[in-house]
Amino acid sequence: MKANIAIIGTGGTIAGRGESSVNTSAYACSVVSVDEILSGIPELASLANLQAEQLLQMGSENFATEHLLLLGSRISRLLQQDHVDGVVVTHGTDTIDETAYFLHLTLKSMKPVVVVGSMRPPSALSPDGPLNLYNAILVASSPASRGKGTLVVSNDEIHTARDVVKTSTFKLESFRSPYGPLGYVVEGMPRYYREPARSHTLETPWSIEEIDRLPEVGIVYAHGGIDAGMVDAVTNARMSGIVYAATGNGNVAEHVVGALLRARREGLHVVRASRTGSGVVIRNGAQPDDKYDWLVVDDQAPQKARILLMLALTREARSAELQRMFHRY
């Protein structure tokens, strides 16, 4: 019996179109409907019973918190329907890792949710979108995918939403996880080799059904000679937190420490992250976090840390509890 899979279109490169078949990086984004995408892949009919809807139509660089809430709420309603076995979201690759992680932490279902995009538009000479979408539906239809939270499928790989990040502007193998994928799609069969280690979905305190707004958190990207005024700008914007994407192991230049301390005194939570792309930021390592009442990301990429802090602040303001969340999720 074929699975019943709901497809939600939100735009992105997978819904793009170039002027010629050799335009793989220069093209119009988010101009093809999800129905048109599906009709161009006749092989999908043999995989599952599909129902499709166009929820959004935009490049994912335009995704804001209200779009995360809208998408999460719609997926949640679909997952509650008995006849829906899983959900696939077509999404732009720019912020696919952020959206997927938000869903990973807020959806309350064992059913598979797969977010998929492409690095080349459907009009390209060798587009990756059709096979990515085919594989995503395969993964969403597989009983082996139940209970693994939100997944991102790309280039024959299955990644957990917690770890995956985009690492290239154009390569098909752009999506990487620091610990490797959970598994692969091989000849039409999802094959899993590891499980997500951190808590997600049913094991988190956040439910999309209970969230009507998210506090804003800014990211400041460190570099040599950074002006401390960049931190002050976020503080003055009256956000709820700052993720400082620091150099190395969360190192903070001496002349920036004062600005981050001011931010904390103003009530913003300060989280030390790293711009390196992998590794663990050690608490009380490069900075005296206990003394300053700062937080560290553990191994989270800055953009993932922002998602987690926004969610954490909907329920908690105590630093010790916030730090515990960074070490658990």
Side-chain angles (χ1 to χ4, degrees):
M1 180 180 294
K2 292 192 292 187
N4 299 310
I5 303 299
I7 313 290
I8 299 178
T10 70
T13 297
I14 197 170
R17 182 181 288 121
E19 291 186 4
S20 78
S21 62
V22 296
N23 290 133
T24 60
S25 295
Y27 49 84
C29 179
S30 309
V31 294
V32 180
S33 71
V34 67
D35 287 332
E36 187 176 348
I37 294 170
L38 294 174
S39 67
I41 315 172
E43 294 84 358
L44 298 179
S46 64
L47 293 186
N49 301 313
L50 305 179
Q51 63 178 77
E53 62 183 85
Q54 191 78 52
L55 184 67
L56 298 166
Q57 185 70 307
M58 63 174 69
S60 66
E61 71 275 12
N62 297 306
F63 259 64
T65 54
E66 59 264 30
H67 302 118
L68 293 177
L69 295 173
L70 174 65
L71 177 60
S73 295
R74 181 57 185 146
I75 295 173
S76 180
R77 290 194 297 273
L78 287 168
L79 293 173
Q80 292 171 31
Q81 298 178 18
D82 292 339
H83 71 280
V84 173
D85 298 311
V87 175
V88 171
V89 180
T90 61
H91 196 287
T93 58
D94 280 5
T95 60
I96 197 172
D97 51 356
E98 297 176 46
T99 296
Y101 188 44
F102 175 78
L103 300 174
H104 191 64
L105 294 174
T106 59
L107 294 175
K108 298 301 176 189
S109 177
M110 293 282 286
K111 296 178 181 179
V113 175
V114 182
V115 191
V116 63
S118 71
M119 295 300 294
R120 295 175 179 172
S123 55
L125 189 62
S126 55
D128 55 323
L131 185 57
N132 282 349
L133 182 54
Y134 184 93
N135 286 343
I137 294 171
L138 271 175
V139 170
S141 302
S142 173
S145 301
R146 287 180 60 87
K148 290 182 170 59
T150 300
L151 303 167
V152 173
V153 170
S154 181
N155 202 39
D156 298 325
E157 296 180 337
I158 309 168
H159 293 267
T160 173
R162 182 194 184 270
D163 296 342
V164 70
V165 293
K166 184 176 181 178
T167 65
S168 172
T169 61
F170 71 98
K171 290 186 177 180
L172 300 189
E173 66 272 24
S174 173
F175 287 91
R176 301 289 191 184
S177 297
Y179 315 109
L182 298 183
Y184 305 91
V185 180
V186 181
E187 290 296 311
M189 179 67 67
R191 298 173 182 265
Y192 287 99
Y193 298 95
R194 68 182 184 93
E195 298 285 330
R198 296 296 182 96
S199 299
H200 58 80
T201 52
L202 299 178
E203 298 175 338
T204 77
W206 308 290
S207 171
I208 190 64
E209 303 292 337
E210 300 171 356
I211 303 171
D212 56 10
R213 62 173 297 275
L214 290 168
E216 287 297 334
V217 172
I219 299 176
V220 176
Y221 191 92
H223 55 82
I226 183 174
D227 189 331
M230 296 175 67
V231 174
D232 292 331
V234 176
T235 302
N236 295 336
R238 301 189 181 280
M239 293 192 176
S240 297
I242 296 176
V243 176
Y244 189 72
T247 54
N249 184 19
N251 295 314
V252 181
E254 292 178 0
H255 68 280
V256 178
V257 170
L260 291 172
L261 289 174
R262 286 194 296 275
R264 186 68 193 101
R265 287 196 298 270
E266 291 292 324
L268 283 74
H269 284 280
V270 174
V271 185
R272 286 194 301 119
S274 175
R275 70 180 199 180
T276 59
S278 66
V280 175
V281 177
I282 303 299
R283 185 168 181 84
N284 296 314
Q287 293 292 325
D289 298 298
D290 287 346
K291 176 182 177 182
Y292 293 163
D293 197 27
W294 291 352
L295 309 170
V296 295
V297 295
D298 190 27
D299 67 335
Q300 289 277 32
Q303 67 269 29
K304 298 287 188 75
R306 173 181 172 269
I307 295 292
L308 180 53
L309 184 58
M310 287 194 302
L311 285 170
L313 290 173
T314 64
R315 299 183 64 93
E316 185 59 69
R318 293 172 294 175
S319 297
E321 287 302 304
L322 293 173
Q323 185 63 76
R324 182 187 64 79
M325 291 178 181
F326 275 101
H327 287 137
R328 180 172 181 181
Y329 305 107

